[in-house]
Amino acid sequence: MNKSIIVLIATIAFFSCSTAQKTLEKSTTGTSDIKKSMIKALEWQEAHPIFAIAPTDWTEGAYYTGVTRAHKATKDMMYMAALKNQAYWNNWQTFDRLHHADDVAISYSYLYIDINDGRRNFVDLEPTKKFLDAHLFENDEWKAGADKSDMGKTILWWWCDALFMAPPVLNLYAKHTNQPKYLEEMHKFYMETYNQLYDKEERLFARDMRFVWTGSDKDQKEPNGKKIFWSRGNGWVIAGLALLLEDMPKDYENRPFYENLFKEMSTRILELQPSDGLWRTSLLCPETYDHGEVSGSGFYTFAIAWGINNGLVDKKHIPAVKKAWNALAKCQHEDGRVGWVQNIGAFPEPATADSWQNFGTGAFLMAGSEVIQLLD
Amino acid sequence: MNKSIIVLIATIAFFSCSTAQKTLEKSTTGTSDIKKSMIKALEWQEAHPIFAIAPTDWTEGAYYTGVTRAHKATKDMMYMAALKNQAYWNNWQTFDRLHHADDVAISYSYLYIDINDGRRNFVDLEPTKKFLDAHLFENDEWKAGADKSDMGKTILWWWCDALFMAPPVLNLYAKHTNQPKYLEEMHKFYMETYNQLYDKEERLFARDMRFVWTGSDKDQKEPNGKKIFWSRGNGWVIAGLALLLEDMPKDYENRPFYENLFKEMSTRILELQPSDGLWRTSLLCPETYDHGEVSGSGFYTFAIAWGINNGLVDKKHIPAVKKAWNALAKCQHEDGRVGWVQNIGAFPEPATADSWQNFGTGAFLMAGSEVIQLLD
Amino acid sequence: MNKSIIVLIATIAFFSCSTAQKTLEKSTTGTSDIKKSMIKALEWQEAHPIFAIAPTDWTEGAYYTGVTRAHKATKDMMYMAALKNQAYWNNWQTFDRLHHADDVAISYSYLYIDINDGRRNFVDLEPTKKFLDAHLFENDEWKAGADKSDMGKTILWWWCDALFMAPPVLNLYAKHTNQPKYLEEMHKFYMETYNQLYDKEERLFARDMRFVWTGSDKDQKEPNGKKIFWSRGNGWVIAGLALLLEDMPKDYENRPFYENLFKEMSTRILELQPSDGLWRTSLLCPETYDHGEVSGSGFYTFAIAWGINNGLVDKKHIPAVKKAWNALAKCQHEDGRVGWVQNIGAFPEPATADSWQNFGTGAFLMAGSEVIQLLD
């Protein structure tokens, strides 16, 4: 075959490559690519509304918290349009169990809109205030400590996910309305959870009391004999810590506690990062479900990148963050869907390329929003 | 390089460009392809909400019944997300004419969610119960038989479409709440319709009394002199029968009536299948609008495949079902839209490649959901 | 030719197949292409809901007015589905400031549905009537003329955008309900605005009193020393005039005033058209932001094409309209988004390829709907 024919054919093949898209290896290092991935994730998620029990529940709360971060990082008004749209149709309501941290997570987005949209008489923070006051100051079954189950529902925030759901809202509400008492109360309950669920040796949170070892033969173990530390559960905590630290007064007396906890966990999470960049759903027993999981990994990527951007994590970890983001980006389908998200749960379970959830998209957006700033 | 080679390459390049997706012959035989077509249909329909008078009306009722079947067959949670989303925003309401079978069709989806989502305090079946009680037990103009029009509104379900709208809801409600009286009452009204509209000779339902021959010169006829049997109208009946039989107690005394009717109609519908697989909008006068119509054909494909899957239709008809599905799949646009759907109506009218309706998408999903099981 | 070459070429051709679409230069001259562009614009906008303060506000009002025009021109029921969907979820409400013209713009779509959908007991015009009566007949701060700001809020419609927001609704309401008093009242307030803001020399409207020259040194000027005439502001007026004239009685005594104003402005706008077809955001100082802006240009294209279609603008201007449309079509992204739309504002500001707003999509749809009729 004639050489010039080969060249010509090669040329045709090259130009026909716009074809590509589907198969072209995505370059994810530039912020422009990250922004495109994020917008596609938003568009897909908005086109596929999902919730557990209501559009004001924690799944939407976590998702729209991700949308606030994406807006903050990019100023793309598509994010603000989505935020306002959900808030309007949700009529600025929390979900309805006032003792349950999950049900106020959505208020983080309402606060963000109030602070950033700048339209008078638009945001209604009354339902949020009503929730927070009842949540902090009214009695309930959990605070009463009457629970006899093995989950340890004897404190307000008895499961570690709660540290993402309520504390950042309380902290931001305190700042926005200039009422430090909400922060102070937050700290009180935070310490209860920390004391109950934080494993100082492993520097990780048990999801709830079922996973805290007591020395009994009945203690739950992974197949490899280790403790069960759930990736997303710790993701909730460390992402929540980054959110907290961002809006916590620099001179707040308990700020060092949160900074130290954040640093401790960041270091540990970095130690545990698998070589392909994405954390497994069980942190100490990665071999059980040996594939990256996006919700936990997204929260870790967000938190660590935030730590670097804010001087709490060493810049030497930038490559780890880039590796994580590149791996996260590969979990996104061509149409924007963020896959490899473990479904709603409370302990390690597997995900698939197709498994998705709004909070997984939220974690993805949170990760991207800080990685952009890391690269800028 | 030889000139003719250049020309050839240019020609290939040119033609390969327009190729484009649209004309690529879809392989529709595998269940994986069917599942993809179904998800695309759902995504397109969710992005193009439509209703006649409200999102709780029969058009949405039929569509979301299709979504329940798709979820049941595939367990893809995208269907459940869509079901819950509409139900939440519809606040579990029926539409508001309590004597009108159309207005309770949406409750089939509410019942499905209650049975399958398993979340306590989520589904509100009170509006459905209120509707059903009024529908069955309160007097109204139609039951009173005072109507003097030619449509024969002298029984509760005076048009054959009604047999899809209300009976499956009553049957499933009876089963789910363990109250056989709803099934018994259903049967009473079903028989009235059967007696009024079923043509035992043709083994098809007239849409309403306008199309029942009386021997008068004024009897409505097709151009070829035959009776007018509307494809979608009979689709409503036979698809409704499959839904009924699925949840009707095996030992229910009147079950044999429904099984026989289902078999009789299935046989007749199969006899009438055009060679390209899709039924025309006028069953006995296919030449009037000589193109396949998707809503009627989708319901037939669903019903006959269900019959095979459940032992009521002989397996020798599997090729007919496959042919029907392959032809249905070709009516779907590249972007997911299900075309060739006759618009809202009450007798044979033409469709086009572009004409769509949510209930047509529902019929498509119902068909796909049973064909998957047939092939598995 | 060598067999292996043929195989290789065939292979290339096969893989290059999906290329297509993205790079193919769009031909925008045919009505079929315009219709496709319009549907894509609708689909994108429906998938990206946005509003300033509520889905009943003027941004949605302008967008859905565009959707009514698209439906009127094409009869594609996708437009009617979108219209009914928003109206249903907005519960036929206006927005809530009864003295503010912006807040009744959405009612144009409600009136259109009532006139064209033909479903009894569906449209609720009570909120519109309540608004219009309060708007016209109740006192308020603006009518009282007590405003001391430089914006001149001393008349009901003190900014020129208002002439799009309320007058077409009043005019259509008067026609639809056969109550000429709404038209008569409209005229009274229209004249106030005309007298306050219309620059007879420039044949353009100042946006509000800040931009009306008084002879003082403090008069606002463009860098080139000329008056500030905002493209979108004049777009609101002239598009509103076309809407008004379409439904204003032919024998209405003040109709000549509106016809003359329409002709005067059309001529002026045509004089000012830049050579690439699209108007700049500052009409008399195009060099400040030297790029086409889509919301103003869309309204102009709509109005002038409407004028040609209705005998008020000479057919010799058809090429100018075609040029404008072709340039507008190039502002649409591949996914349907209409870019180059100046964001919410009150005077000339720049746009970008990515900047979008629902009212920009509305202007695009209005333009396309008349250009289709021009070409037919």
Side-chain angles (χ1 to χ4, degrees):
Chain A
M1 187 168 167
N2 184 313
K3 193 179 164 190
S4 66
I5 298 184
I6 296 176
V7 171
L8 178 58
I9 291 174
T11 307
I12 292 171
F14 179 79
F15 281 109
S16 64
C17 273
S18 18
T19 309
Q21 280 151 309
K22 303 254 170 188
T23 52
L24 213 68
E25 188 61 23
K26 275 193 284 191
S27 152
T28 50
T29 42
T31 58
S32 153
D33 287 322
I34 300 175
K35 286 178 186 172
K36 278 183 201 157
S37 296
M38 290 166 67
I39 283 288
K40 286 189 80 167
L42 175 85
E43 291 181 299
W44 192 89
Q45 192 59 69
E46 290 294 311
H48 296 81
I50 190 169
F51 53 76
I53 193 159
T56 51
D57 71 20
W58 66 270
T59 69
E60 290 283 75
Y63 166 51
Y64 283 110
T65 297
V67 178
T68 69
R69 302 302 299 188
H71 182 260
K72 187 165 192 164
T74 67
K75 306 297 177 206
D76 191 318
M77 77 181 191
M78 205 182 284
Y79 297 113
M80 185 55 92
L83 286 168
K84 289 169 68 176
N85 195 62
Q86 63 88 11
Y88 179 87
W89 292 110
N90 280 332
N91 200 22
W92 312 100
Q93 297 298 306
T94 64
F95 192 48
D96 59 10
R97 300 164 301 175
L98 303 188
H99 67 290
H100 203 309
D102 281 358
D103 295 6
V104 80
I106 193 73
S107 288
Y108 192 88
S109 68
Y110 304 158
L111 286 161
Y112 183 85
I113 298 167
D114 199 37
I115 295 164
N116 294 280
D117 184 52
R119 203 165 269 278
R120 278 174 307 161
N121 303 320
F122 179 51
V123 178
D124 177 7
L125 291 180
E126 272 310 302
T128 295
K129 177 183 164 35
K130 188 185 150 198
F131 185 106
L132 295 180
D133 287 342
H135 192 65
L136 294 174
F137 305 116
E138 290 181 9
N139 289 324
D140 70 71
E141 198 188 345
W142 293 345
K143 285 181 190 164
D147 180 66
K148 300 293 181 209
S149 81
D150 59 350
M151 298 176 93
K153 300 181 178 180
T154 55
I155 56 176
L156 182 61
W157 301 333
W158 52 264
W159 72 116
C160 72
D161 319 24
L163 300 184
F164 180 94
M165 306 302 166
V169 172
L170 285 160
N171 180 53
L172 191 53
Y173 187 81
K175 178 185 180 186
H176 182 48
T177 66
N178 198 23
Q179 297 183 84
K181 73 172 178 181
Y182 290 98
L183 175 56
E184 285 154 21
E185 289 294 316
M186 184 279 283
H187 180 65
K188 193 179 78 183
F189 291 113
Y190 201 104
M191 291 308 297
E192 286 182 0
T193 309
Y194 173 84
N195 290 329
Q196 183 151 309
L197 299 179
Y198 190 59
D199 187 313
K200 286 180 182 166
E201 201 173 323
E202 294 288 359
R203 291 163 290 152
L204 296 169
F205 274 81
R207 197 273 178 177
D208 57 54
M209 285 299 286
R210 289 173 296 178
F211 306 102
V212 175
W213 280 9
T214 62
S216 147
D217 281 356
K218 293 183 178 167
D219 287 341
Q220 294 203 44
K221 290 178 180 58
E222 289 288 4
N224 66 2
K226 298 201 178 162
K227 291 178 184 168
I228 299 171
F229 288 106
W230 182 36
S231 181
R232 183 159 70 233
N234 282 278
W236 292 124
V237 179
I238 196 168
L241 279 165
L243 296 178
L244 276 175
L245 287 166
E246 182 155 299
D247 290 303
M248 190 178 271
K250 294 284 183 232
D251 59 356
Y252 173 53
E253 61 177 331
N254 296 306
R255 184 178 174 95
F257 165 79
Y258 294 94
E259 289 195 358
N260 289 336
L261 181 58
F262 177 81
K263 287 182 198 167
E264 225 171 82
M265 287 187 73
S266 296
T267 305
R268 183 65 173 129
I269 295 298
L270 280 161
E271 287 167 16
L272 292 169
Q273 186 181 31
S275 60
D276 62 11
L278 294 187
W279 290 261
R280 287 11 182 189
T281 194
S282 178
L283 289 173
L284 301 189
C285 190
E287 61 270 28
T288 309
Y289 307 115
D290 198 12
H291 57 74
E293 193 281 330
V294 160
S295 65
S297 298
F299 289 135
Y300 296 153
T301 307
F302 161 72
I304 293 163
W306 182 90
I308 296 169
N309 289 334
N310 289 276
L312 294 179
V313 172
D314 197 294
K315 286 190 173 159
K316 74 180 180 195
H317 295 298
I318 289 178
V321 170
K322 283 189 183 176
K323 188 201 281 184
W325 173 260
N326 286 337
L328 284 171
K330 284 182 186 141
C331 296
Q332 185 176 32
H333 295 218
E334 185 60 31
D335 65 359
R337 181 204 303 212
V338 177
W340 291 107
V341 176
Q342 182 190 336
N343 207 342
I344 296 175
F347 46 80
E349 288 174 297
T352 71
D354 284 338
S355 60
W356 60 282
Q357 267 290 357
N358 47 358
F359 53 80
T361 307
F364 184 89
L365 291 175
M366 292 176 80
S369 67
E370 286 298 325
V371 175
I372 286 172
Q373 295 172 69
L374 195 70
L375 299 180
D376 266 352
Chain B
M1 185 171 168
N2 185 315
K3 194 179 160 191
S4 67
I5 298 185
I6 297 176
V7 171
L8 178 58
I9 291 174
T11 307
I12 291 170
F14 179 80
F15 280 108
S16 66
C17 279
S18 39
T19 307
Q21 285 149 302
K22 303 253 170 189
T23 51
L24 218 68
E25 189 63 22
K26 276 193 282 193
S27 153
T28 50
T29 42
T31 57
S32 153
D33 288 322
I34 300 176
K35 286 177 187 172
K36 279 183 200 157
S37 295
M38 289 166 67
I39 282 288
K40 286 190 79 166
L42 176 85
E43 290 181 300
W44 191 90
Q45 192 59 68
E46 290 295 309
H48 296 80
I50 191 169
F51 53 77
I53 194 159
T56 50
D57 70 19
W58 66 270
T59 69
E60 291 283 76
Y63 166 50
Y64 283 110
T65 297
V67 179
T68 68
R69 302 301 301 187
H71 182 261
K72 187 164 193 167
T74 67
K75 306 298 176 205
D76 191 318
M77 79 181 191
M78 203 181 286
Y79 297 112
M80 185 55 91
L83 286 168
K84 289 169 68 176
N85 195 63
Q86 63 88 11
Y88 179 87
W89 291 109
N90 280 332
N91 200 22
W92 312 101
Q93 297 298 305
T94 65
F95 192 49
D96 58 10
R97 300 164 301 176
L98 304 189
H99 67 291
H100 204 310
D102 281 359
D103 294 6
V104 79
I106 193 72
S107 288
Y108 192 88
S109 68
Y110 304 158
L111 285 162
Y112 183 85
I113 298 167
D114 199 38
I115 295 166
N116 293 282
D117 185 51
R119 203 165 267 279
R120 278 174 307 160
N121 304 321
F122 179 52
V123 177
D124 177 6
L125 292 180
E126 272 309 302
T128 295
K129 176 182 165 35
K130 187 184 150 200
F131 186 107
L132 295 180
D133 287 343
H135 192 65
L136 294 174
F137 304 117
E138 290 181 9
N139 290 323
D140 71 71
E141 199 187 344
W142 292 346
K143 284 181 191 163
D147 180 66
K148 300 295 181 207
S149 81
D150 59 351
M151 298 177 94
K153 300 181 180 180
T154 54
I155 54 175
L156 182 60
W157 300 333
W158 53 265
W159 72 115
C160 71
D161 319 25
L163 299 185
F164 180 93
M165 305 301 167
V169 173
L170 285 160
N171 180 53
L172 191 53
Y173 188 80
K175 179 184 179 186
H176 183 48
T177 67
N178 199 22
Q179 298 183 83
K181 74 171 176 181
Y182 290 97
L183 176 56
E184 285 153 23
E185 288 294 314
M186 184 279 282
H187 181 63
K188 192 179 78 184
F189 291 112
Y190 202 103
M191 290 309 295
E192 285 182 0
T193 309
Y194 173 83
N195 290 328
Q196 183 151 311
L197 298 179
Y198 190 59
D199 186 314
K200 287 181 183 168
E201 200 173 326
E202 293 290 357
R203 291 163 291 150
L204 296 170
F205 273 80
R207 198 273 176 177
D208 57 54
M209 283 301 286
R210 289 174 297 179
F211 306 100
V212 174
W213 281 8
T214 62
S216 149
D217 281 358
K218 293 184 177 166
D219 287 341
Q220 294 203 46
K221 291 178 180 57
E222 290 287 4
N224 65 3
K226 298 200 178 161
K227 290 178 184 169
I228 300 171
F229 288 106
W230 183 35
S231 180
R232 184 159 70 233
N234 282 277
W236 291 126
V237 179
I238 196 167
L241 279 166
L243 296 177
L244 276 176
L245 287 166
E246 182 155 300
D247 289 303
M248 190 178 272
K250 294 285 184 231
D251 59 355
Y252 173 52
E253 59 177 333
N254 296 306
R255 186 178 171 95
F257 165 79
Y258 295 94
E259 289 195 356
N260 287 336
L261 181 59
F262 177 80
K263 286 182 198 170
E264 225 171 82
M265 288 186 74
S266 296
T267 304
R268 183 65 173 130
I269 295 299
L270 280 162
E271 286 168 15
L272 292 169
Q273 185 181 31
S275 60
D276 62 10
L278 294 186
W279 289 261
R280 290 7 183 190
T281 193
S282 177
L283 290 173
L284 302 189
C285 190
E287 60 271 26
T288 310
Y289 306 115
D290 198 12
H291 56 75
E293 193 281 331
V294 160
S295 65
S297 299
F299 289 135
Y300 296 153
T301 307
F302 162 70
I304 293 163
W306 182 90
I308 296 170
N309 289 334
N310 289 276
L312 294 180
V313 172
D314 195 295
K315 286 189 172 159
K316 74 181 181 194
H317 296 299
I318 289 179
V321 171
K322 284 188 182 177
K323 188 201 281 185
W325 174 261
N326 287 336
L328 284 171
K330 284 182 185 138
C331 295
Q332 185 177 32
H333 294 218
E334 186 60 31
D335 64 0
R337 179 204 303 213
V338 176
W340 291 106
V341 176
Q342 183 191 334
N343 208 341
I344 296 176
F347 46 80
E349 288 176 297
T352 72
D354 285 339
S355 60
W356 59 283
Q357 267 290 357
N358 47 358
F359 52 80
T361 307
F364 184 88
L365 291 175
M366 292 176 80
S369 67
E370 287 297 326
V371 175
I372 286 172
Q373 296 173 68
L374 195 70
L375 299 180
D376 266 353
Chain C
M1 189 168 166
N2 184 313
K3 191 180 164 192
S4 66
I5 299 184
I6 297 176
V7 171
L8 179 56
I9 292 174
T11 307
I12 292 169
F14 180 78
F15 280 108
S16 65
C17 271
S18 37
T19 312
Q21 287 152 306
K22 303 254 168 187
T23 51
L24 221 67
E25 187 63 22
K26 274 194 286 191
S27 150
T28 50
T29 43
T31 57
S32 152
D33 287 322
I34 300 175
K35 287 178 186 172
K36 279 183 200 156
S37 296
M38 291 167 66
I39 283 288
K40 286 189 79 167
L42 174 85
E43 290 180 301
W44 191 89
Q45 193 58 68
E46 290 294 310
H48 296 81
I50 191 169
F51 52 77
I53 193 159
T56 50
D57 70 19
W58 66 271
T59 69
E60 291 282 77
Y63 166 50
Y64 283 110
T65 297
V67 178
T68 68
R69 302 303 300 187
H71 182 260
K72 187 164 192 167
T74 67
K75 305 298 176 206
D76 191 319
M77 78 181 191
M78 204 182 285
Y79 297 112
M80 184 55 91
L83 286 168
K84 289 168 67 175
N85 195 63
Q86 63 89 12
Y88 179 87
W89 291 109
N90 279 333
N91 200 22
W92 312 100
Q93 297 298 305
T94 65
F95 193 47
D96 60 9
R97 301 164 300 176
L98 303 188
H99 67 291
H100 204 310
D102 281 359
D103 295 5
V104 79
I106 193 73
S107 288
Y108 192 88
S109 68
Y110 304 159
L111 286 162
Y112 183 84
I113 298 167
D114 200 38
I115 294 165
N116 293 281
D117 185 52
R119 201 166 271 277
R120 278 173 307 159
N121 304 320
F122 179 52
V123 178
D124 177 7
L125 292 179
E126 272 310 302
T128 295
K129 175 181 165 36
K130 187 184 151 201
F131 186 107
L132 295 180
D133 287 342
H135 192 65
L136 294 174
F137 304 117
E138 290 181 9
N139 289 324
D140 71 73
E141 199 188 343
W142 293 345
K143 284 181 192 165
D147 180 65
K148 300 294 180 207
S149 81
D150 59 350
M151 297 177 94
K153 300 182 180 180
T154 56
I155 55 176
L156 180 61
W157 301 334
W158 54 263
W159 72 116
C160 71
D161 319 24
L163 300 185
F164 180 93
M165 305 302 167
V169 172
L170 284 160
N171 180 53
L172 190 53
Y173 188 80
K175 178 185 180 186
H176 182 48
T177 66
N178 199 23
Q179 297 183 85
K181 72 172 178 180
Y182 290 98
L183 176 56
E184 285 153 22
E185 289 295 315
M186 184 279 281
H187 181 63
K188 193 180 78 183
F189 290 113
Y190 201 104
M191 289 309 297
E192 286 182 2
T193 308
Y194 173 83
N195 290 327
Q196 183 152 311
L197 299 178
Y198 189 59
D199 187 313
K200 288 181 181 168
E201 202 173 322
E202 293 290 357
R203 291 163 290 152
L204 295 169
F205 274 80
R207 198 273 178 176
D208 57 54
M209 285 301 287
R210 290 174 297 179
F211 306 101
V212 174
W213 280 9
T214 62
S216 149
D217 281 356
K218 293 185 177 165
D219 287 341
Q220 295 205 46
K221 290 179 181 57
E222 289 289 3
N224 65 3
K226 298 201 178 162
K227 291 178 183 168
I228 300 171
F229 289 106
W230 182 35
S231 180
R232 183 160 69 232
N234 282 277
W236 291 125
V237 179
I238 196 168
L241 280 165
L243 295 178
L244 276 176
L245 287 166
E246 182 156 299
D247 289 302
M248 191 178 271
K250 294 284 183 230
D251 60 354
Y252 173 53
E253 60 178 332
N254 295 306
R255 184 177 173 96
F257 165 79
Y258 294 94
E259 288 195 358
N260 289 335
L261 181 58
F262 178 80
K263 286 182 199 169
E264 226 172 82
M265 288 186 73
S266 296
T267 305
R268 184 64 173 130
I269 295 299
L270 279 161
E271 287 168 17
L272 292 167
Q273 185 181 31
S275 62
D276 62 10
L278 294 186
W279 290 262
R280 291 3 185 192
T281 193
S282 178
L283 290 174
L284 301 189
C285 191
E287 59 271 27
T288 310
Y289 307 116
D290 198 13
H291 56 74
E293 193 280 332
V294 161
S295 64
S297 298
F299 290 136
Y300 296 153
T301 307
F302 161 70
I304 293 163
W306 181 90
I308 296 170
N309 290 333
N310 290 275
L312 295 178
V313 172
D314 196 295
K315 286 189 172 158
K316 74 181 180 193
H317 296 299
I318 289 179
V321 171
K322 283 188 182 177
K323 189 201 280 185
W325 174 261
N326 287 335
L328 285 171
K330 283 182 185 138
C331 295
Q332 184 176 32
H333 295 218
E334 185 61 31
D335 64 358
R337 182 205 302 214
V338 176
W340 291 106
V341 176
Q342 183 191 334
N343 207 341
I344 295 175
F347 46 80
E349 288 175 296
T352 70
D354 285 337
S355 60
W356 60 281
Q357 267 289 358
N358 46 358
F359 52 80
T361 307
F364 184 88
L365 291 175
M366 292 176 81
S369 67
E370 287 298 325
V371 175
I372 285 172
Q373 296 173 68
L374 196 71
L375 299 180
D376 268 351

